């Protein structure tokens, strides 16, 4: 119970008793004490009320600094800071419902501030579980994501932040927080390759079929389930499986090169090998396939691979230099690091969706590896802004099954 609540309950009783006592005895000392108590009660209520409002407005409804978030996270490891505010009770809900019934449509956007009392109370929530954040543009979804990410970094969790827009404010805030907490920081920025790290999005998979499905999901929707999509998946599966067998790194560029080569170079490398007779025969069939028909069947696959391997983007996802440093999401998570993916959807929505899909599929593979092992630490926090642009099968799998192996997803959509 706060000071103001105690005064509201006890103050009137005490004041009534003191006033009656002073009136009955007429003692000047009692009259002075009544006046003093009344003044102090009003002063305390005023200071608490004004002070709470002042703290809200001066902080912008958020903790003053990143340091305050880190302190909160370290002191409350099982709670999450959601901001300043109060619990939404039945009385506030009834007022809003009555207002919505009487409200004319021509009034314009609804202003909820008239129904919410701002105070200095915290609004904590349990950390374990997925979270959906909904709101119109400019209502603070991205800012809330930043708060949650700061707390996850302070607790030593692995953080993957997928931002289709690629804003500098979020990026700089995460980088600052990672540096302050001593966590490694990496970023994937297709629109700014000079400031981006080389990220391997095909590193985590148990079988070649997983990687083949991961790439095939990027085909146009009307091509995935028809004969062309199935043929493309078959080609990818055989090529990727053969690459893994002969020890060639599986990158988007190596996959594209051998797809265009129709697997002929891989047939030559596997000719003297043993233990892969079935795969060798399948590659032979692929290499002997009619070239003209082969090109027609992979007509939708070629533009996709060209997009992901051309220019600066190809250097980021498939570096050609042998000494180039590459990192994959599993390595970032194992270190409790931060990976920020600013996909730049405003300039190229198709590339943004493809990169987001590949990254989410790799995170789903990490969750699958955790299921097969007994080690679920450190926890992995995945933040997906503008999730409507990134939804795929891997994302749904993360939401359905990720919690058991320490993966929590927070995603935002616009209303």
């Amino acid at each position: 119970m706060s000071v103001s609540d105690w005064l509201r309950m006890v103050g009137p009783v005490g004041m009534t008793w003191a006033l009656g006592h002073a009136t009955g005895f007429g003692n000047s000392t009692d009259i002075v004490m009544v006046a003093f108590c009344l003044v102090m009660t009003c002063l305390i209520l005023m200071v608490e009320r004004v002070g709470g409002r002042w703290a809200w407005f001066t902080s912008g409804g958020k903790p003053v600094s990143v340091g305050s978030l880190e302190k909160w996270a370290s002191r409350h490891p099982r709670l999450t800071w959601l901001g300043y505010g109060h619990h939404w009770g039945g009385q506030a809900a009834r007022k809003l419902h009555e207002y919505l019934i009487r409200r004319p449509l021509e009034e314009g956007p609804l202003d909820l501030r008239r129904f919410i009392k701002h105070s200095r109370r915290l609004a904590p929530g349990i950390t374990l579980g997925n979270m959906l954040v909904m709101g119109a543009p400019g209502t603070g979804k991205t800012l809330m994501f930043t708060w949650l990410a700061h707390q996850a970094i302070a607790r030593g969790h692995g953080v993957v932040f997928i931002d289709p827009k690629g804003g500098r404010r979020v990026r700089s805030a995460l980088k600052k927080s990672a540096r302050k907490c001593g966590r490694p920081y990496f970023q994937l920025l297709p629109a700014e390759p000079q400031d981006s790290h080389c990220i391997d999005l095909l590193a985590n998979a148990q079988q070649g079929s997983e990687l083949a499905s991961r790439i095939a999901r990027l085909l146009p929707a009307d091509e995935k389930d028809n004969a062309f999509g199935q043929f493309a998946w078959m080609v990818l599966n055989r090529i990727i499986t053969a690459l893994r067998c002969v020890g060639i790194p599986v990158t988007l560029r190596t996959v594209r090169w051998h797809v265009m080569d129709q697997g002929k170079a891989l047939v030559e490398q596997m000719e003297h090998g043993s233990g892969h007779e079935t795969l060798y025969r399948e590659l032979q069939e692929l290499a002997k396939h009619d070239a003209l028909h082969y090109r027609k069947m992979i007509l939708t696959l070629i533009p996709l691979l060209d997009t992901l391997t051309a220019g600066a983007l190809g250097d980021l996802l498939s570096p050609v230099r042998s000494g180039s440093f590459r990192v994959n999401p599993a390595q970032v998570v194992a270190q409790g690091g931060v990976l920020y993916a600013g996909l730049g959807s405003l300039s190229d929505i198709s590339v943004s969706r493809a990169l987001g899909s590949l990254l989410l599929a790799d995170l789903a593979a990490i969750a699958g590896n955790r299921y097969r092992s007994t080690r679920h630490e450190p926890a992995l926090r995945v933040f997906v802004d503008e999730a409507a642009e990134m939804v795929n099968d891997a994302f749904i799998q993360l939401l359905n099954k990720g919690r058991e192996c320490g993966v929590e997803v927070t995603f935002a959509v616009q209303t």
Side-chain angles (χ1 to χ4, degrees):
M1 181 181 295
S2 65
V3 176
S4 59
D5 294 336
W6 185 85
L7 287 174
R8 290 188 186 98
M9 182 178 66
V10 180
V13 178
M15 291 303 103
T16 302
W17 176 85
L19 184 61
H21 180 73
T23 304
F25 293 94
N27 192 330
S28 60
T29 305
D30 291 336
I31 296 176
V32 172
M33 288 299 298
V34 168
F36 176 77
C37 290
L38 286 173
V39 171
M40 290 302 298
T41 300
C42 295
L43 183 61
I44 291 175
L45 291 175
M46 184 181 302
V47 168
E48 187 188 44
R49 188 172 185 84
V50 174
R53 298 277 180 156
W54 177 253
W56 167 266
F57 286 115
T58 55
S59 65
K62 60 183 179 181
V64 178
S65 64
V66 175
S68 62
L69 274 176
E70 295 170 357
K71 291 179 181 178
W72 164 263
S74 60
R75 293 173 182 173
H76 307 84
R78 296 188 59 81
L79 297 179
T80 299
W81 174 294
L82 298 179
Y84 290 95
H86 72 104
H87 293 286
W88 185 269
Q91 183 177 2
R94 283 193 298 272
K95 289 182 179 180
L96 176 60
H97 178 68
E98 294 172 358
Y99 171 72
L100 291 175
I101 294 176
R102 301 190 305 267
R103 175 176 175 264
L105 295 177
E106 58 272 11
E107 276 194 11
L110 176 63
D111 185 6
L112 287 177
R113 288 177 296 181
R114 59 187 297 180
F115 300 98
I116 299 177
K117 299 181 300 179
H118 296 310
S119 67
R120 298 176 62 184
R121 298 180 185 177
L122 299 177
I126 298 177
T127 59
L128 187 60
N130 301 325
M131 184 184 300
L132 168 62
V133 180
M134 302 178 66
T139 54
K141 299 187 298 296
T142 304
L143 180 60
M144 181 178 181
F145 270 32
T146 307
W147 294 350
L148 298 176
H150 283 322
Q151 297 171 71
I153 295 171
R155 294 188 175 109
H157 299 170
V159 173
V160 177
F161 199 109
I162 302 177
D163 184 6
K165 299 186 294 293
R168 289 182 176 272
R169 184 180 64 177
V170 178
R171 185 200 322 171
S172 60
L174 294 178
K175 189 174 183 179
K176 176 182 177 182
S177 181
R179 185 187 300 114
K180 191 175 187 335
C181 297
R183 306 292 176 183
Y185 173 82
F186 305 92
Q187 56 188 17
L188 175 61
L189 305 172
E192 304 174 50
Q194 70 280 0
D195 297 327
S196 178
H197 295 89
C198 295
I199 308 295
D200 188 357
L201 300 180
L202 301 180
N204 301 291
Q206 294 294 318
Q207 301 176 351
S209 58
E210 293 183 38
L211 297 179
S213 299
R214 194 177 301 183
I215 299 175
R217 289 194 193 104
L218 305 180
L219 294 172
D222 55 348
E223 298 285 346
K224 292 180 182 180
D225 298 324
N226 60 19
F228 295 94
Q230 295 172 4
F231 187 86
W233 181 89
M234 181 269 293
V235 171
L236 289 169
N237 183 38
R238 294 183 182 181
I239 295 293
I240 293 173
T241 305
L243 288 173
R244 290 163 66 96
C245 287
V246 299
I248 298 178
V250 180
T251 66
L252 290 168
R253 276 181 169 162
T254 57
V255 169
R256 179 192 176 278
W257 193 92
H258 288 284
V259 166
M260 299 297 295
D261 182 57
Q262 208 167 325
K264 297 176 182 178
L266 288 173
V267 170
E268 295 179 0
Q269 295 186 47
M270 295 187 65
E271 187 174 1
H272 304 290
S274 60
H276 304 289
E277 289 79 8
T278 302
L279 178 60
Y280 178 67
R281 288 195 299 269
E282 292 175 348
L283 277 178
Q284 279 187 320
E285 294 176 3
L286 192 64
K288 294 177 181 179
H289 198 97
D290 181 73
L292 182 60
H293 183 263
Y294 177 83
R295 291 302 179 94
K296 289 181 179 179
M297 295 300 292
I298 63 171
L299 194 61
T300 56
L301 179 60
I302 295 175
L304 171 63
L305 295 176
D306 287 344
T307 302
L308 296 175
T309 57
L313 181 61
D315 293 335
L316 295 180
L317 303 180
S318 310
V320 294
R321 299 187 302 274
S322 59
S324 298
F325 173 75
R326 287 191 299 166
V327 66
N328 68 71
Q331 295 170 338
V332 177
V333 174
Q335 302 175 65
V338 182
L339 173 58
Y340 173 81
L343 305 181
S345 61
L346 295 176
S347 57
D348 196 334
I349 184 64
S350 60
V351 172
S352 172
R353 288 176 176 172
L355 292 178
S357 178
L358 288 175
L359 180 53
L360 287 170
D362 204 60
L363 295 176
I366 294 174
N369 294 337
R370 289 189 168 202
Y371 268 109
R372 289 183 285 268
S373 67
T374 58
R375 185 175 182 272
H376 296 169
E377 296 292 338
L380 171 59
R381 294 297 305 269
V382 181
F383 298 90
V384 185
D385 202 0
E386 306 293 344
E389 301 178 6
M390 300 289 120
V391 171
N392 58 8
D393 294 338
F395 182 63
I396 296 174
Q397 292 294 322
L398 277 177
L399 294 176
N400 290 341
K401 304 175 178 65
R403 177 185 174 187
E404 187 175 338
C405 55
V407 179
E408 301 176 29
V409 181
T410 304
F411 61 106
V413 296
Q414 291 188 9
T415 54

